[in-house]
């Protein structure tokens, strides 16, 4: 088991390497670069100016050289400097990362609080009105676009409740109440979207598990219904659920991009969209790399949890 | 008893069975009776497909007809869903836009299911270095957040329909290959697989006849969830301005364009979003019902 854990940890290295290569190449394949944008701003495209700018941002080096430089900077913890603003990416992210992280975590928490209990009850009470209501709810949650709900919350939230997203974003350590006032609506919208998937998977795997022989045995030996479901059912049904929760991290990242834009939250997602359109390579690379690392980490946790939760799956 | 023997028993009964029409209607009626919500979903999907196939017959106007004297009209008898900032009929545009969702949604899911099954099952079955290499490639692939990834691809390769279908397919296929792999891992460690192998069956036969049928419910559940999810993803992409190009409408882009005017004209935000929600709801309802009907383990039970 321990060798598996060590092996799995070591395997992060090729994955990270693959991610940096793919990311780096993808950014270079984007048509146009930041210098084009700047030259556009100056209204002139003199070759001399272009050469100077390219030299300034090391865009004239060969691509492998640029990659090596970037990796060298990363190893020392330097995320690079924004071409457009001239500020270091890490200083900018210090304000933006917490906002996105908070939005994502809050959404996940909302999602699990909604989905797990409803999914389990729905499976246990299969084909009863409770089950039908729960399934319809899950499907509705899955079907409604989060960005549409966001738009409606802003449009009708003001008209009906006089609620409007505060104009100024406050960090949680500056003003926790104002911070949560901004974040709870987008987090609830995103959490609702996520909970639909989790609820469905929870229900369907729980149904499968409840038909297994060992559940019948557990019932036959007189174990209470609650214990059968929680101890024997949940433990066996949770594996696909954990996979799905792990798979949802990219959905969360994508969702934060959309909701940050709609609710004007100064997080990573909105920063990425702006930087992408300005071809601000260092910023784009840094943000995608951070999201990717985070996803790699959760994938690792999902993989490791398999063997802990289901000993039938043995890694050698 | 092998599957071939079971087929021999079934064949004669099929041949002397009721007429073709009755054989089609009876299961259809049973489906409606047992799965009313699924039938409702099917109805929505059928309406959607009809709209997507024949928009010019159904819509009162073309998607690019505009009338500058009738800009930003509220819903009325002339314009059921009102008009947009160029005076185009929103009702007609929503009907035309169904084509974007149908084509991209269904094609991308087919691509995804094929990829997911091939990768997930073979990876779980062969294990070893094969599994390791594939899983690492998928790790790299899936480490990029989906939406950001598609935005990248569209920025590089353009927003053609084929590009978007293939990218969405690869994206969702990689995701479900993980789920299918974890299901196939459990199947592989079952004793019946060992028994089949003891009878001398080859790898390909075991995979096709024994592993894939046993993970098919998972594949179907996944694909059924994905039709709706892919339609949602396409509309998110269009919402951000990276979807299929104008002037042909898509619901997501209509919402994206609505942002500028929606505080004064909420109908612009209301209807395209409702169209997405209703469509995805129908697809998901149908998928759910199909799963309950098709999954032998769920059918057997209480």
């Amino acid at each position: 088991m321990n060798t598996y854990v060590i092996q799995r940890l070591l395997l992060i290295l090729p994955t990270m390497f693959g991610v940096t290569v793919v990311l780096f190449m993808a950014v270079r394949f984007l048509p146009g670069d930041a210098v084009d944008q700047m030259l556009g701003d100056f209204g002139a495209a003199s070759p001399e100016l272009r050469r100077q700018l390219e030299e300034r941002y090391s865009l004239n080096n060969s691509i492998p050289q640029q990659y090596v430089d970037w990796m060298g900077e990363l190893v020392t913890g330097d995320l690079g400097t924004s071409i457009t603003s001239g500020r270091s990416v890490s200083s900018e992210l210090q304000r933006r990362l917490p906002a996105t992280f908070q939005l994502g975590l809050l959404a996940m928490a909302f999602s699990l609080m909604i989905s797990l209990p409803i999914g389990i009850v729905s499976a246990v009470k299969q084909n009863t009105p409770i089950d039908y209501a729960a399934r319809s709810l899950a499907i509705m949650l899955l079907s409604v676009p989060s960005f549409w709900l966001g738009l409606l919350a802003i449009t009708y939230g003001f008209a009906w409740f006089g609620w409007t997203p505060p104009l100024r974003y406050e960090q949680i350590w500056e003003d926790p109440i104002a911070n949560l006032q901004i974040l709870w609506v987008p987090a609830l919208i995103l959490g609702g979207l996520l909970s639909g998937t989790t609820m469905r998977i929870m229900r369907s795997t729980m149904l499968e598990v409840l038909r297994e022989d060992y559940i019948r045995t557990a019932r036959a030996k007189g174990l209470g219904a609650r214990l059968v479901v929680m101890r024997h059912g949940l433990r066996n049904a949770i594996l696909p659920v954990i996979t799905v929760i792990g798979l949802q991290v990219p959905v969360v990242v994508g969702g934060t991009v959309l909701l940050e834009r709609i609710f004007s939250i100064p997080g990573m997602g909105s920063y990425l969209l702006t930087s992408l359109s300005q071809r601000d390579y260092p910023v784009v690379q840094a943000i995608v790399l951070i999201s990717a690392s985070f996803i790699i980490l959760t994938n690792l946790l999902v993989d490791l949890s398999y063997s802990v939760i289901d000993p039938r799956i043995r890694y050698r | 008893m092998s599957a071939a023997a079971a087929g021999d028993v079934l064949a004669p009964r099929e041949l002397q069975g009721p007429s073709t029409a009755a054989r089609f209607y009876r299961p259809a009626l049973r489906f409606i009776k047992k799965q009313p919500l699924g039938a409702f979903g099917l109805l929505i999907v059928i309406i959607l497909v009809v709209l997507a196939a024949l928009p010019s017959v159904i819509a009162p106007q073309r998607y690019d007809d505009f009338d500058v004297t009738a800009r930003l009209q509220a819903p009325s008898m002339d314009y059921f869903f009102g008009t947009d900032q160029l005076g185009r009929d929103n009702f007609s545009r929503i009907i035309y836009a169904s084509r974007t969702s149908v084509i991209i949604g269904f094609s991308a899911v087919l691509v995804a299911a094929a990829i997911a099954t091939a990768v997930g099952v073979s990876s779980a079955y062969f294990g070893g270095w094969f599994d390791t290499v594939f899983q690492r490639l998928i790790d790299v692939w899936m480490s990029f957040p989906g939406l950001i990834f598609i935005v990248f691809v569209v920025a590089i390769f353009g927003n053609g329909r084929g590009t978007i279908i293939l990218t969405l397919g690869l994206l969702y296929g990689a995701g479900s290959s993980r789920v299918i792999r974890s299901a196939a891992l459990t199947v592989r460690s079952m004793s019946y697989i060992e028994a089949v192998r003891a009878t001398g069956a080859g790898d390909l036969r075991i995979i096709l006849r024994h592993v894939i049928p046993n993970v098919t419910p998972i594949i179907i559940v996944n694909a059924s969830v994905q039709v709706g999810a892919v339609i949602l993803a396409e509309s998110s992409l269009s919402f951000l301005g990276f979807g299929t190009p104008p002037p042909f409408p898509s619901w997501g882009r209509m919402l994206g364009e609505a942002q500028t005017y929606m505080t004064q004209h909420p109908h612009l935000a209301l209807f395209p979003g409702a169209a997405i929600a209703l469509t995805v709801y129908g697809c998901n309802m149908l998928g759910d019902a199909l799963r309950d009907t098709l999954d032998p383990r769920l059918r057997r039970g209480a």
Side-chain angles (χ1 to χ4, degrees):
Chain A
M1 188 59 72
N2 277 332
T3 43
Y4 169 69
V5 173
I6 292 164
Q7 263 179 4
R8 185 63 186 79
L9 282 172
L10 284 178
L11 278 171
I12 288 185
L13 295 175
T15 311
M16 281 307 285
F17 176 69
V19 165
T20 53
V21 171
V22 172
L23 170 61
F24 185 83
M25 292 314 287
V27 170
R28 261 62 192 180
F29 273 126
L30 287 171
D33 59 26
V35 173
D36 289 336
Q37 304 272 332
M38 283 184 192
L39 289 175
D41 289 345
F42 286 118
S46 95
E48 178 55 20
L49 185 61
R50 183 177 182 92
R51 206 188 50 76
Q52 280 177 4
L53 281 170
E54 280 183 349
E55 200 163 303
R56 167 119 191 260
Y57 300 110
S58 328
L59 292 172
N60 54 345
N61 290 338
S62 72
I63 287 189
Q65 181 63 46
Q66 288 184 41
Y67 176 78
V68 171
D69 290 348
W70 179 47
M71 291 313 282
E73 284 172 11
L74 278 182
V75 170
T76 59
D78 182 2
L79 285 172
T81 310
S82 160
I83 294 179
T84 328
S85 72
R87 298 176 55 189
S88 88
V89 177
S90 27
S91 74
E92 184 74 20
L93 286 182
Q94 259 169 19
R95 287 177 42 248
R96 292 177 176 267
L97 201 61
T100 303
F101 212 72
Q102 224 191 323
L103 178 58
L105 270 186
L106 216 54
M108 278 283 194
F110 275 129
S111 160
L112 292 182
M113 280 190 305
I114 302 168
S115 62
L116 293 189
I118 299 184
I120 293 171
V121 168
S122 178
V124 172
K125 311 254 180 220
Q126 193 196 4
N127 293 332
T128 62
I130 299 177
D131 180 30
Y132 291 135
R135 284 164 68 188
S136 309
L137 175 72
I139 296 183
M140 251 179 261
L141 289 171
L142 265 180
S143 312
V144 181
S146 59
F147 54 93
W148 182 51
L149 283 184
L151 292 184
L152 292 187
I154 290 178
T155 317
Y156 291 102
F158 179 72
W160 293 345
F161 308 108
W163 178 87
T164 161
L167 288 174
R168 232 181 82 76
Y169 182 80
E170 298 285 348
Q171 297 287 0
I172 189 159
W173 56 84
E174 286 161 356
D175 188 346
I177 293 171
N179 171 276
L180 289 177
Q181 266 176 348
I182 303 170
L183 285 181
W184 77 272
V185 176
L188 187 63
I189 289 173
L190 188 54
L193 166 79
L194 298 173
S195 71
T197 319
T198 321
M199 212 184 282
R200 279 160 68 97
I201 299 284
M202 184 72 246
R203 175 180 179 276
S204 71
T205 54
M206 187 57 112
L207 274 180
E208 254 171 55
V209 166
L210 288 180
R211 295 214 166 81
E212 297 282 351
D213 290 339
Y214 53 78
I215 295 291
R216 196 186 309 152
T217 311
R219 286 207 178 109
K221 75 176 182 189
L223 215 55
R226 187 177 297 257
L227 262 182
V228 171
V229 171
M230 298 312 285
R231 187 180 293 168
H232 296 269
L234 190 59
R235 185 165 171 153
N236 285 290
I238 204 80
L239 185 62
V241 177
I242 288 180
T243 312
V244 166
I245 295 174
L247 287 175
Q248 280 180 335
V249 172
V251 182
V252 176
V253 177
T256 54
V257 172
L258 288 164
L259 289 165
E260 278 173 18
R261 173 176 263 203
I262 293 166
F263 287 90
S264 331
I265 297 168
M268 288 211 301
S270 46
Y271 194 29
L272 176 72
L273 286 179
T274 342
S275 311
L276 194 62
S277 65
Q278 294 168 337
R279 301 287 186 260
D280 197 341
Y281 289 171
V283 181
V284 174
Q285 283 172 184
I287 295 178
V288 180
L289 188 67
I290 289 172
S291 329
S293 317
F294 188 65
I295 292 170
I296 289 172
L297 195 69
T298 44
N299 272 341
L300 172 77
L301 294 177
V302 167
D303 273 7
L304 292 182
S305 66
Y306 279 3
S307 49
V308 176
I309 295 168
D310 190 348
R312 280 176 305 180
I313 296 175
R314 292 246 179 266
Y315 296 99
R316 271 162 297 178
Chain B
M1 189 186 64
S2 76
D8 290 339
V9 176
L10 277 177
R13 210 195 304 157
E14 293 264 43
L15 284 176
Q16 48 184 261
S19 71
T20 328
R23 263 173 42 207
F24 174 76
Y25 280 124
R26 218 173 284 162
L29 278 178
R30 200 180 328 126
F31 181 72
I32 293 173
K33 217 167 169 185
K34 286 199 77 171
Q35 303 280 353
L37 288 177
F40 181 61
L42 180 65
L43 184 72
I44 294 178
V45 173
I46 289 175
I47 293 174
L48 180 76
V49 171
V50 170
L51 290 181
L54 304 164
S56 50
V57 180
I58 298 154
Q61 297 187 22
R62 265 178 61 83
Y63 61 87
D64 50 0
D65 283 351
F66 62 94
D67 179 1
V68 280
T69 60
R71 293 172 60 226
L72 295 166
Q73 301 268 311
S76 66
M77 281 317 285
D78 292 332
Y79 304 103
F80 298 132
F81 294 168
T83 61
D84 68 3
Q85 67 280 8
L86 297 176
R88 297 177 295 193
D89 180 30
N90 269 336
F91 181 66
S92 304
R93 282 173 64 74
I94 284 175
I95 290 177
Y96 273 95
S98 65
R99 178 173 281 180
T100 310
S101 295
V102 166
I103 292 178
I104 291 181
F106 286 94
S107 327
V109 166
L110 284 182
V111 173
I115 293 172
T117 310
V119 173
V121 170
S122 58
S123 195
Y125 184 82
F126 293 112
W129 64 267
F130 184 85
D131 183 37
T132 308
V133 170
F134 252 102
Q135 290 312 305
R136 294 302 70 79
L137 285 178
I138 289 174
D139 266 355
V140 171
W141 182 247
M142 286 187 25
S143 303
F144 296 103
L147 191 66
I148 292 174
F149 183 82
I150 315 177
V151 166
F152 256 97
V153 174
V154 169
I156 297 172
F157 295 104
N159 52 358
R161 205 183 259 166
T163 313
I164 292 177
I165 289 172
L166 207 64
T167 317
L168 283 171
L170 279 168
L171 205 62
Y172 280 81
S176 34
S177 85
R178 270 289 169 95
V179 182
I180 291 171
R181 173 177 170 271
S182 96
L185 268 180
T186 315
V187 171
R188 195 191 64 160
S189 61
M190 295 282 171
S191 43
Y192 58 78
I193 296 294
E194 220 170 300
V196 177
R197 192 175 291 126
T199 65
D203 287 339
L204 191 65
R205 186 183 165 83
I206 297 179
I207 288 181
L208 292 179
R209 308 283 309 239
H210 301 281
V211 179
I212 291 186
N214 277 295
V215 296
T216 303
I218 315 273
I219 298 173
I220 292 174
V221 173
N222 255 290
S224 76
V225 182
Q226 280 180 349
V227 179
V230 170
I231 290 178
L232 270 184
E234 186 276 326
S235 56
S236 317
L237 197 62
S238 299
F239 175 74
L240 289 176
F242 291 93
T244 49
F248 200 88
S250 75
W251 294 328
R253 181 148 30 78
M254 291 176 76
L255 279 178
E257 287 167 2
Q259 273 178 289
T260 325
Y261 307 94
M262 68 181 186
T263 30
Q264 272 83 43
H265 309 279
H267 70 269
L268 286 174
L270 192 60
F271 293 110
I276 301 172
L278 194 65
T279 299
V280 179
Y281 181 76
C283 292
N284 287 339
M285 279 292 191
L286 179 62
D288 235 22
L290 281 181
R291 180 197 57 198
D292 289 358
T293 315
L294 296 179
D295 187 337
R297 281 168 297 177
L298 297 181
R299 195 167 48 196
R300 190 188 61 203

